């Protein structure tokens, strides 16, 4: 899932910014790696910018922070802290403080593998930031255009006389890879795109088995893997009959997920209704509701006794359209979808696990019988509101980890603590911030003073902890469990 602290705009390759002739930027140290990308630009003259960086930044500095007589040790510490914070590159302005980039800084950046850009006197830092935003906007526009064109071509393919092969051919072409439709018994019904080889074919078929409903326990809506440099993804089609869409394509971007989701929705429609009575059951349920039947009488026609209500809102400011709503329903394994303004509501069987969906923020209710569906709808709405407030991709009503006090002996408690904190253990700054924030009862100001950072930095780090831990930090039970985990040796 995307990091909630990263903007919803696509990152820009550092090389694209260097190619802007109007800026005159020059790389003078660090690797010339085309994989280096920028998520934003940040200006700071702090000697230690670590507390103010979230990662992926182009840090811009004129060297105001450099003391007179600074030696190699100062610049080594400065560059290492930027790298530790996840900074992508450093831009150094050679005016008005310094006439040239200090040689010790060049050596330090080279040693730590940090790209160092020389910003000429005629180029302001605001011009660099503006150019970066322009490149991001161009990339975003190009990506939206590509996704829109793919949606149109897939819809056109679905209307052809032989729709399933046509949709697979369009999908394979748009992804630049292979697309396969597997039947309920695991047999390959149709395929399109270049053959990726035996190893990939076998791995993709095994991945399809992971998402195919087994009847014994809930299966995920999708699964992914990487084999021989290809990204493999399996989507369980929303008709619930065991059809699976598999794709194998080079690593690309988030737009491919949207394109594949649209194809999954179309293939669900093409393979579902005529192979089962589910469509007739839903039609009968709708007719009975319109004729005055109670929801409790109609629910058995849908095939389940208990359901969860999911409220979803797309990331960014784009309102969901019917295609996007159907794609969300397919990802969640349900065709019972309703678009209500900026929110999509989905009714999901209790037996199907609700997982994160890329590009969406989700709130999930508790499982409820038909008579309690209105209350479940309210629960989902509140969960979505909390998820958006804490930048959490998915939040369930009443979520909390297992009670730590139930885990004995102490060795098991320690193992539980390690597992609970695993998503943030590689970031000491996040662990220290969460521990301090909890010890000070969630006070932003007191935590900022204790850590000697800005209060906004505390908010950003706590929000990131909530996202990585998939936890509602407003829940006192969750706070208690995390506090015990953080204090466990």
């Amino acid at each position: 899932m995307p990091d909630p602290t990263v903007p919803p705009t696509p990152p820009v390759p550092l090389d694209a910014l260097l190619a802007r002739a109007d800026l005159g930027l020059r790389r003078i140290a660090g690797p010339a790696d085309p994989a280096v990308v920028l998520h934003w630009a940040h200006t700071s003259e702090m000697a230690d910018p670590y507390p103010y960086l979230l990662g992926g930044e182009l840090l811009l500095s004129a060297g105001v922070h450099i003391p007179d007589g600074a030696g190699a040790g100062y610049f080594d510490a400065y560059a290492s802290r930027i790298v530790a914070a996840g900074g992508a590159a450093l831009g150094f302005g050679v005016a008005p403080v310094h006439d040239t980039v200090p040689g010790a800084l060049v050596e330090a950046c080279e040693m730590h593998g940090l790209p160092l850009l020389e910003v000429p006197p005629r180029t302001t830092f605001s011009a660099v930031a503006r150019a970066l935003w322009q490149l991001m906007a161009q990339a975003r526009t190009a990506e939206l255009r590509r996704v829109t064109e793919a949606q149109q071509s897939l819809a056109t393919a679905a209307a052809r006389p032989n729709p399933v092969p046509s949709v697979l051919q369009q999908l394979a072409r748009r992804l630049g890879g292979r697309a396969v439709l597997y039947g309920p018994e695991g047999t390959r019904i149709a395929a399109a795109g270049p053959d990726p080889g035996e190893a990939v074919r076998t791995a993709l078929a095994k991945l399809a088995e992971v998402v195919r409903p087994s009847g014994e326990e809930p299966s995920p809506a999708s699964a992914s893997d990487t084999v021989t440099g290809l990204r493999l993804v399996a989507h369980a089609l929303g008709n619930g009959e065991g059809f699976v869409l598999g794709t194998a394509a080079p690593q690309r971007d988030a737009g491919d997920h949207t394109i594949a989701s649209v194809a999954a929705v179309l293939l669900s429609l093409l393979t579902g209704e005529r192979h089962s009575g589910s469509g007739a059951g839903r039609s009968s349920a709708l007719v009975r509701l319109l004729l005055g039947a109670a929801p409790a009488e109609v629910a058995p026609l849908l095939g389940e006794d208990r359901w969860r209500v999911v409220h979803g809102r797309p990331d960014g400011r784009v309102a969901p359209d019917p295609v996007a709503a159907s794609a969300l329903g397919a990802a969640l394994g349900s065709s019972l979808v309703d678009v209500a303004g900026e929110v999509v509501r989905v009714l999901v069987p209790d037996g199907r696990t609700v997982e994160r969906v890329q590009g969406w923020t989700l709130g999930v209710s508790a499982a409820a019988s038909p008579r309690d569906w209105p209350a479940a709808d309210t629960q989902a709405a509140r969960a979505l509101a909390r998820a958006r407030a804490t930048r959490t991709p998915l939040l369930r009503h009443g979520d909390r980890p297992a009670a730590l006090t139930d885990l004995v002996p102490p060795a098991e408690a320690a193992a539980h603590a390690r597992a609970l904190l695993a998503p943030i253990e590689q970031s000491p700054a996040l662990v220290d911030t969460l521990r301090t924030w909890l010890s000070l009862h969630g006070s932003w100001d007191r935590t900022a003073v204790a850590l000697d950072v800005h209060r906004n930095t505390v908010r950003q780090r706590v929000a990131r902890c909530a996202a990585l831990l998939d936890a509602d930090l407003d829940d006192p039970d969750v706070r208690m469990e995390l506090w015990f985990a953080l204090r466990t040796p």
Side-chain angles (χ1 to χ4, degrees):
M1 292 306 295
D3 189 330
T5 62
V6 175
T9 52
V12 171
L14 176 59
D15 289 348
L17 193 65
L18 289 169
R20 288 282 296 255
D22 58 319
L23 298 178
L25 303 179
R26 186 168 65 95
R27 178 167 31 213
I28 58 176
D33 185 358
V36 176
V37 296
L38 307 175
H39 288 280
W40 39 38
H42 177 67
T43 301
S44 174
E45 296 298 344
M46 303 295 294
D48 180 10
Y50 181 94
Y52 303 93
L53 301 180
L54 292 175
E57 298 93 340
L58 168 62
L59 178 63
L60 298 170
S61 172
V64 177
H65 58 87
I66 301 175
D68 294 336
Y74 177 88
F75 293 104
D76 178 74
Y78 181 69
S80 66
R81 292 290 281 172
I82 297 174
V83 172
L90 172 64
F92 193 93
V94 295
V97 183
H98 298 269
D99 295 329
T100 60
V101 180
L105 177 60
V106 176
E107 294 176 2
C109 291
E110 189 68 38
M111 180 176 63
H112 289 283
L114 176 66
L116 175 61
L117 313 183
E118 180 188 75
V119 183
R122 64 180 175 82
T123 301
T124 63
F125 288 173
S126 61
V128 175
R130 183 170 60 250
L132 181 59
W133 307 146
Q134 290 173 347
L135 290 171
M136 286 182 172
Q138 293 170 6
R140 180 63 172 169
T141 300
E143 183 65 14
L144 289 175
R145 184 182 299 112
R146 186 175 79 89
V147 171
T148 300
E149 292 174 353
Q151 290 176 339
Q152 294 173 346
S153 66
L154 288 169
T156 301
R160 291 174 181 166
N162 198 10
V164 170
S166 298
V167 169
L168 292 175
Q169 290 171 5
Q170 276 296 322
L171 178 60
R173 185 170 75 85
R174 295 290 176 173
L175 298 183
R178 180 80 163 174
V180 183
L181 177 65
Y182 298 96
E185 296 79 22
T187 57
R188 190 180 68 181
I189 296 177
D195 187 352
E198 180 63 28
V200 174
R201 289 199 305 270
T202 302
L204 189 58
K206 291 182 178 178
L207 199 63
E209 293 301 319
V210 174
V211 302
R212 178 174 289 107
S214 62
E216 301 175 357
E217 57 183 26
S219 301
S222 63
S224 62
D225 194 4
T226 301
V227 177
T228 65
L230 295 179
R231 174 75 167 176
L232 311 186
V233 182
H235 300 266
L237 300 190
N239 52 43
E241 297 179 34
F243 290 90
V244 177
L245 169 64
T247 61
Q251 297 277 3
R252 296 186 69 179
D253 48 42
D256 291 338
H257 177 82
T258 303
I259 294 172
S261 296
V262 172
V265 171
L266 293 172
L267 291 171
S268 297
L269 296 173
L270 294 171
T271 59
E273 299 296 342
R274 63 173 179 264
H275 291 284
S276 73
S278 61
R282 288 193 294 273
S283 297
S284 178
L286 176 59
V287 171
R288 294 193 187 187
L289 283 173
L290 292 174
L291 295 178
E297 299 176 11
V298 171
L301 296 173
L302 301 177
E304 296 286 342
D305 294 328
R306 292 168 63 82
W307 297 71
R308 297 181 188 272
V309 179
V310 179
H311 280 211
R313 185 163 178 171
D315 298 338
R317 299 182 178 179
V318 179
D321 56 24
V323 174
S326 297
L328 175 61
L332 297 176
S334 175
S335 59
L336 301 176
V337 179
D338 172 50
V339 181
E342 297 181 345
V343 175
V344 176
R345 302 189 298 176
V346 186
L347 205 56
V348 179
D350 183 29
R352 185 173 291 273
T353 303
V354 177
E355 304 288 350
R356 295 180 180 180
V357 178
Q358 185 176 8
W360 291 83
T361 300
L362 303 179
V364 185
S365 76
S369 58
R371 67 179 182 180
D372 295 324
W373 284 353
D377 187 50
T378 301
Q379 292 175 358
R382 291 174 178 172
L384 175 61
R386 290 199 304 273
R388 297 186 66 235
T390 57
R391 301 189 214 179
T392 305
L394 183 147
L395 196 148
R396 305 175 196 274
H397 174 77
D399 263 358
R400 58 169 294 182
L404 196 60
T405 53
D406 295 338
L407 299 177
V408 285
E412 293 187 17
H416 176 72
R418 287 194 299 271
L420 189 63
L421 299 174
I424 64 173
E425 66 177 355
Q426 299 301 320
S427 177
L430 292 181
V431 175
D432 291 343
T433 300
L434 182 60
R435 180 185 293 110
T436 304
W437 183 74
L438 289 173
S439 71
L440 297 174
H441 309 291
S443 171
W444 308 109
D445 292 328
R446 293 168 62 193
T447 304
V449 172
L451 296 176
D452 195 23
V453 298
H454 195 276
R455 71 194 306 272
N456 287 344
T457 301
V458 176
R459 288 183 177 275
Q460 292 167 351
R461 290 182 183 176
V462 172
R464 193 168 187 182
C465 287
L468 293 175
L469 295 170
D470 193 19
D472 180 6
L473 297 184
D474 291 329
D475 187 336
D477 290 326
V478 172
R479 291 194 186 192
M480 180 190 70
E481 297 299 336
L482 289 173
W483 176 245
F484 277 108
L486 288 165
R487 289 175 57 86
T488 300

